[in-house]
Structure formats: structure tokens, C-alpha cells
Amino acid sequence: MTPRPCHAKTNVMFLKTHKTASSTVLNILFRFTEKHNLTIALPADQRFHLGYPERFNTSFVEKLQNKMQNYNIMGNHLRFNPSEVHKVMAGDTFYFSILRNPIFLLESSYVYYKNMVPAFNRSKDVNEYLASPLKYYREEDYKKNIYAKNIMWFDFGYDNNAEDNKNYTQEVLKDIEQNFHLILIADYFDESMILLKHTLCWDLDDVIYFKLNSRSNDTVQTLTAESRERIKTWCSLDWNLYLHFNQSFWRRIEETIGLEELEKEVNHLRMRQKELMETCLLGQEAVVKTRIKDKTFLPFQSGDANILGYNIRPDLSNKTLKNCQKIITPELQYMSYLYSRQHPHKKRKPLNLALPWSSSLEKTQVPRQN
């Protein structure tokens, strides 16, 4: 049978959850925005996120000159609030998000947010924290402690300190199913990209990526077997969320692509990624922050994590160089560039970094305003 022709979806909302490979997904969306000259909902004024951790409202987005216009793309950190998000996105918008196994997510959060989360800061390491979390986690600090318990549940707009009651949990899962067309799984990232490509009718190069905002292995803390089990109880809302959508993820793949075809396409994606790494990167791998040569591409550093970045080969043609630079550009730099490109009359974001390819692009491309 000939596959039914489809049209690439260009109205897309991504709920960017924390420590779930979501910065890599956002880079994919930023590149797609530029490629198709789309409009994107970006944080207003000097903000770097859409009002997080407050529930999203429309005042957190920088308005377009045509104030009645909806955005094509949305993906910066926000706490989901469907009625407000719907006000700035088109009626046919495709909504998706990504989840990660809470066991790995909590360890990652612990290292990344160690200095800013009181519950983490009071404990020596992640295993000490999990041995008796209530010793360190105080509900009166809950806004500062959101990363320490059920962070994905919170990002979707729900109470991360709620009791894990079966009826309540089922109601929330049903709610999320109604609000989102697709939930991806970070633990199967390549499979997720293939499913996203099929669902949005995008090209393979649209979902090719280099990992962004990942950290060096020497900052990973080893969880004990007891700690792993405790996470399932301490973050039981996130655990239920993950189990539910991990099942629906694989069911969706079997219904739409099939496991055999999936394997072929994942291999194709990895081959294309390897090819691009050979083309773009010095040493063909990510490097620690001290070894990043061009500080324009230095990612934001946080907590005890050593966030990795990349070095571009110096011998590339202009077009290849620009494409390679975009795929390695950290989130804050890319967002700031898109902001100045889409809102040229507004004060720039306070980053003090000019991307090497931004001035020429700003002169030649203006996002469409209709």
C-alpha cells in the first residue's frame, strides 16, 4: 500500500518538562521555527522562561505586532495551564510533551539543582536525601523544593504534594490524555524522535539532534537499590505518570509504525547523526565546559553538574558552518537570538553573547506576521 500523503504540522506546542532531554527537543523546535520562518511564543521582556513556576498566563509571552495573531510554536519552560495556553496558540495546534523514568530524573535533578533546592542542599548526597526525605523536604518551602518531589506532575500543572489517591491519579492521567496528542519517553529518545517525525509528518533532518544540556559522567551519583525503590514511593505521582505513558508510547508505536520499521528508522537516524557529527564536530563528541573553545556556545552551568558542549570544526563552508552551529547552540543563546529576530524593536535579553551567525540572518529573514 502507498503511504497516505501528509502535510507537515507547523502549529506545535511542546510542554518542556525538567531534566527529561527537553532542551534537545527545544533545539529541534527552534531550528524548525527558523527553517519554516514561523512565529514562536517567547518569554516577555527580560525573562528566560514563560513565568515558571507560576501557572502560565498570556502576560508571560512577548506579544507580536499583530496582537490578534496566534503563534505557530511554543516550547520554553512553563507550568501548564491549558485555558491560557489555548489563547495564544492556534485551534489546530499539536500538543506534546516528554517524560523520563523518575529514578534517573531525581538523581539528575539532585545534582543540577543541588545549590538552589533547600531539600537537596541540606543533605550530603542523593542517597542520604532519599533515606529520609521528610527530614530535608519541608512543605513550607514547596516552591523552592518543586524539583525534589514529583516535578513532572508539577510541570503538567498539578499539585506535586497531593496524596497518591487512585481516583485522583486516574483523573489526572485522563486529563493529560485529553490535553496532549502525544507523550514521548526520554529513556527511548531515538524511538521518540521517530514517532514524533511520523506524527508531525516532518523530515528526518528535522529531528536529528546532538544532546544538549547533558552532563559529564563524573557528576552522576550512583543510586543504591534502596534509593531506587524509595523514589517510586517518594515520587509516586511521577512514577504512575511515567508507567501509564510509557505503556501508551509503545502501544502508539505498534499501532502506527511497527517495531520492525521503528528499528530500521532508528538505525537510519543514528547513521545520519554520526555523519553530521563527523561533518560538524572537532573530535566528534561533547566536551566538558573548560574545553569549549568558543564561549559563545558555552551552556548554562548549574549546581554540581558539569554541562557539556561542543567544538565546531574550523574548515567548514559558510552554509555547513551555520547549520552545525544551530544544532549545538544552547537553549538560552538560541532563544535570545530568536527573540531579537522576532522582536527587533525590543530590548535584547541580558546574555551579552552574540551568535556568530545572527547578524546576517537577522538582515535576511523576518518571521511572517500574518
Side-chain angles (χ1 to χ4, degrees):
M1 283 176 66
T2 316
R4 201 176 57 196
C6 62
H7 299 285
K9 289 185 171 65
T10 53
N11 292 331
V12 178
M13 190 277 167
F14 171 56
L15 176 63
K16 187 178 190 295
T17 46
H18 286 80
K19 311 315 299 166
T20 56
S22 61
S23 293
T24 303
V25 178
L26 190 58
N27 178 273
I28 285 167
L29 289 175
F30 283 165
R31 286 170 13 229
F32 190 82
T33 297
E34 271 201 276
K35 177 183 172 182
H36 295 278
N37 211 22
L38 304 173
T39 56
I40 182 164
L42 293 169
D45 303 318
Q46 303 295 285
R47 289 193 185 102
F48 286 98
H49 50 69
L50 293 164
Y52 195 89
E54 302 300 323
R55 280 183 199 280
F56 175 77
N57 74 63
T58 59
S59 69
F60 297 145
V61 170
E62 192 65 68
K63 303 292 181 286
L64 294 167
Q65 285 176 322
N66 172 2
K67 291 188 171 59
M68 301 303 289
Q69 183 189 353
N70 292 121
Y71 297 92
N72 300 117
I73 306 287
M74 185 183 222
N76 285 86
H77 275 308
L78 59 80
R79 189 172 181 213
F80 195 59
N81 184 2
S83 59
E84 288 292 292
V85 171
H86 293 163
K87 289 177 187 175
V88 296
M89 299 304 288
D92 65 348
T93 295
F94 180 88
Y95 288 80
F96 80 103
S97 189
I98 189 165
L99 301 174
R100 183 183 183 186
N101 185 322
I103 293 170
F104 307 117
L105 187 150
L106 188 76
E107 183 279 328
S108 179
S109 287
Y110 186 93
V111 175
Y112 193 83
Y113 297 112
K114 172 76 169 159
N115 300 335
M116 60 181 283
V117 172
F120 292 161
N121 215 355
R122 294 182 187 121
S123 53
K124 182 175 87 256
D125 58 37
V126 69
N127 291 308
E128 184 179 276
Y129 171 66
L130 288 164
S132 49
L134 288 171
K135 184 175 164 186
Y136 308 104
Y137 184 93
R138 292 167 197 161
E139 283 200 27
E140 61 269 23
D141 291 336
Y142 102 93
K143 277 219 170 144
K144 292 177 184 170
N145 276 334
I146 51 176
Y147 304 105
K149 186 181 187 185
N150 294 314
I151 179 59
M152 295 187 291
W153 199 263
F154 183 88
D155 287 346
F156 275 87
Y158 304 100
D159 177 6
N160 60 321
N161 288 306
E163 197 182 327
D164 184 2
N165 167 294
K166 192 175 179 184
N167 289 343
Y168 165 69
T169 308
Q170 289 305 314
E171 196 179 304
V172 168
L173 295 175
K174 195 183 292 182
D175 212 21
I176 293 171
E177 282 180 338
Q178 286 171 349
N179 284 322
F180 290 86
H181 299 99
L182 181 65
I183 304 289
L184 302 176
I185 301 294
D187 311 83
Y188 303 100
F189 194 80
D190 289 346
E191 292 84 353
S192 289
M193 290 306 97
I194 297 302
L195 182 57
L196 186 69
K197 174 182 89 76
H198 274 263
T199 313
L200 295 180
C201 194
W202 287 7
D203 297 331
L204 180 65
D205 271 9
D206 292 329
V207 297
I208 288 290
Y209 68 92
F210 297 165
K211 274 188 192 177
L212 295 180
N213 210 33
S214 62
R215 61 194 161 126
S216 59
N217 287 334
D218 61 352
T219 65
V220 176
Q221 296 188 13
T222 305
L223 290 161
T224 64
E226 293 79 11
S227 289
R228 286 167 170 254
E229 288 307 308
R230 284 178 189 132
I231 290 170
K232 296 177 189 176
T233 309
W234 176 243
C235 296
S236 62
L237 297 171
D238 271 3
W239 185 246
N240 285 325
L241 181 68
Y242 176 76
L243 290 180
H244 179 85
F245 284 104
N246 184 41
Q247 277 191 332
S248 67
F249 172 79
W250 289 105
R251 194 163 57 241
R252 181 82 164 259
I253 282 175
E254 285 175 6
E255 288 167 0
T256 56
I257 305 169
L259 294 176
E260 200 176 321
E261 178 62 23
L262 175 74
E263 190 180 349
K264 281 184 204 162
E265 294 201 34
V266 163
N267 287 336
H268 192 188
L269 179 143
R270 288 173 181 163
M271 281 165 57
R272 179 69 182 127
Q273 183 187 53
K274 185 171 183 286
E275 187 184 300
L276 268 179
M277 289 188 122
E278 286 167 1
T279 300
C280 293
L281 302 180
L282 270 178
Q284 297 171 39
E285 63 180 4
V287 296
V288 294
K289 60 189 175 188
T290 51
R291 288 180 52 213
I292 297 169
K293 296 181 179 187
D294 185 345
K295 300 306 177 193
T296 307
F297 297 104
L298 180 71
F300 177 73
Q301 302 292 322
S302 177
D304 291 340
N306 185 340
I307 304 300
L308 304 174
Y310 297 94
N311 290 315
I312 294 282
R313 283 176 51 175
D315 55 345
L316 303 174
S317 69
N318 276 351
K319 187 182 177 190
T320 305
L321 177 66
K322 279 180 186 175
N323 289 336
C324 290
Q325 286 172 332
K326 286 175 189 177
I327 203 169
I328 70 155
T329 298
E331 178 182 333
L332 298 183
Q333 288 93 313
Y334 210 149
M335 186 269 291
S336 302
Y337 157 66
L338 288 176
Y339 181 87
S340 61
R341 178 177 170 268
Q342 184 168 272
H343 306 287
H345 307 300
K346 296 289 290 189
K347 186 179 175 186
R348 292 189 169 213
K349 302 280 183 189
L351 255 193
N352 302 323
L353 287 170
L355 289 171
W357 38 272
S358 62
S359 54
S360 59
L361 277 172
E362 279 167 19
K363 284 174 193 163
T364 56
Q365 285 186 308
V366 179
R368 66 185 187 208
Q369 295 283 317
N370 50 32

